[in-house]
């Protein structure tokens, strides 16, 4: 398999331009690429252009790559036209196996042998999506965190038919564009990050529904405590540092038995109608009467400020962890 140089990509295709696809288009444009888009919904051109237009001031604030230009977005009438000449395709069609497979059947007939197709799928297995297609060796998951024009993470995983070189290529493409791409050694439902946030939220639901604390207090305990560190490093490194000079080995000596006892006591609630009703009430309490759209606007403002600050301080500090 001969793939192009991932560090000198000039253009990409975005297939499916809803919530996530339009955000991907914004991201690729801001990184100075030509972006060819196709979506089957009538009037998608106006919607994706409006999305990019709304997000562009933020991209300017966070920093555009040389050559970045909103006019490098081109909407196409067919998927074949959008992917023609694109070495990398980011697919963000609806989360539905038959829809994605029908799309892949069309793309498969038109794909060049040096093109990699990455699916944004949050929960589907690539083995299900790629099975039986001629170009399966170059099909994989490139799962973003929403919205990908702001949140850096991408999770990359291939299926049994994916060539390792295609996975290396996708990771190199994302990294060249400034996204920290993580590699899953094998596919697993929900990838990494959604499993982690679900695990955390399962315990939050347990604490709330068993009367330990309100959702507001549980959320505060995350956002103003470990959440601040989690923006910098994951829990393994947090506890490696927690052991001082002795690292995680020492941490196990200090806190190992306690951690085991906390694990033994964790809850495993099911999403029953009763649990859902309690959580809906508690979520309203956590919102404190503020309209959802207002909270979302404030969150976006704070998130952009956080990304801006971290980018600036990281560049001042130079290379190194975290
Ligand atoms: N929304 C999220 O938070 C999020 C986060 C990460 C990944 N994803 C993944 O991104 C993908 C898209 O999700 P979304 O939230 O953008 O959905 P969405 O409903 O907002 O957008 C889907 C788009 O696909 C288009 N579409 C319909 N049929 C199509 C077809 N046959 N081929 C191509 N496009 C088609 C629709 O017109 C629509 O514009 C899903 O696989 C989802 O799992 C979503």
């Amino acid at each position: 398999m001969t793939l192009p140089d991932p560090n000198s990509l000039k253009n990409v295709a975005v297939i499916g331009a809803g919530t996530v696809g339009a955000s991907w288009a914004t991201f690729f444009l801001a990184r100075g690429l030509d972006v060819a888009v196709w979506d089957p919904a009538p009037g998608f051109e106006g919607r994706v252009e409006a999305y990019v237009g709304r997000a562009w001031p933020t991209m300017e604030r966070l920093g555009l790559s040389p050559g970045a230009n909103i006019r490098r977005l081109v909407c196409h009438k067919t998927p074949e036209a959008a992917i023609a000449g694109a070495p990398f395709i980011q697919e963000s069609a609806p989360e539905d196996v038959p829809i994605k497979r029908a799309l892949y059947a069309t793309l498969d007939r038109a794909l060049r042998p040096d093109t990699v197709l990455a699916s944004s799928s949050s929960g589907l297995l690539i083995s299900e999506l790629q099975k039986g297609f001629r170009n399966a060796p170059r099909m994989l998951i490139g799962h973003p965190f929403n919205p990908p024009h702001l949140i850096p993470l991408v999770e990359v995983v291939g299926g049994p038919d994916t060539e390792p070189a295609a996975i290396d290529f996708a990771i190199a493409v994302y990294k060249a564009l400034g996204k920290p791409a993580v590699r899953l050694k094998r596919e697993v439902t929900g990838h990494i990050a959604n499993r982690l946030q679900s695990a955390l939220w399962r315990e939050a639901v347990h604490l709330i529904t068993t009367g330990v604390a309100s959702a507001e207090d549980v959320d505060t305990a995350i956002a103003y405590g470990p959440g601040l560190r989690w923006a910098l490093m994951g829990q393994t490194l947090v506890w490696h540092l927690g052991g001082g000079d002795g690292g995680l080995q020492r941490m196990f000596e200090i806190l190992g038995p306690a951690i085991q006892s906390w694990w033994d006591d964790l809850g495993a609630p099911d999403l029953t109608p009763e649990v859902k009703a309690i959580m809906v009430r508690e979520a309203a309490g956590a919102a404190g009467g503020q309209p959802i759209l207002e909270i979302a606007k404030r969150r976006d403002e704070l998130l952009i400020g956080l990304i801006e600050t971290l980018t600036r301080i990281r560049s001042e500090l130079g290379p190194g962890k975290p």
Side-chain angles (χ1 to χ4, degrees), residues 60-77:
E60 287 176 321
R61 184 172 149 190
L62 293 176
L64 297 176
S65 299
N69 194 318
I70 211 162
R71 286 196 297 275
R72 293 177 72 179
L73 175 81
V74 178
C75 294
H76 289 270
K77 301 243 172 290

Side-chain angles (χ1 to χ4, degrees), residues 204-321:
V205 169
H206 171 70
L207 292 173
I208 294 160
T209 54
T210 57
V212 174
S214 67
E216 187 178 8
D217 281 344
V218 169
D219 275 9
T220 300
I222 294 167
Y224 289 86
L228 282 173
R229 289 196 303 217
W230 288 336
L232 311 176
M233 61 180 83
Q235 194 59 36
T236 303
L237 200 48
V238 163
W239 272 347
H240 189 48
L241 302 189
D245 279 356
L248 192 60
Q249 184 58 48
R250 174 87 183 111
M251 182 69 184
F252 282 145
E253 287 156 26
I254 304 164
L255 265 191
I259 292 170
Q260 184 61 56
S261 74
W262 299 333
W263 277 359
D264 294 343
D265 197 50
L266 289 177
D270 288 322
L271 279 179
T272 60
E274 295 74 30
V275 164
K276 287 189 208 169
I278 295 172
M279 290 309 298
V280 167
R281 218 171 40 240
E282 286 281 339
Q290 221 175 308
I292 288 176
L293 289 182
E294 224 175 78
I295 299 176
K297 198 165 159 232
R298 227 175 125 87
R299 176 212 49 199
D300 289 350
E301 217 21 69
L302 290 166
L303 184 61
I304 293 162
L306 189 62
I307 293 169
E308 213 173 20
T309 307
L310 287 177
T311 308
R312 180 177 52 75
I313 299 178
R314 279 208 171 102
S315 114
E316 284 167 12
L317 288 173
K321 279 187 181 291

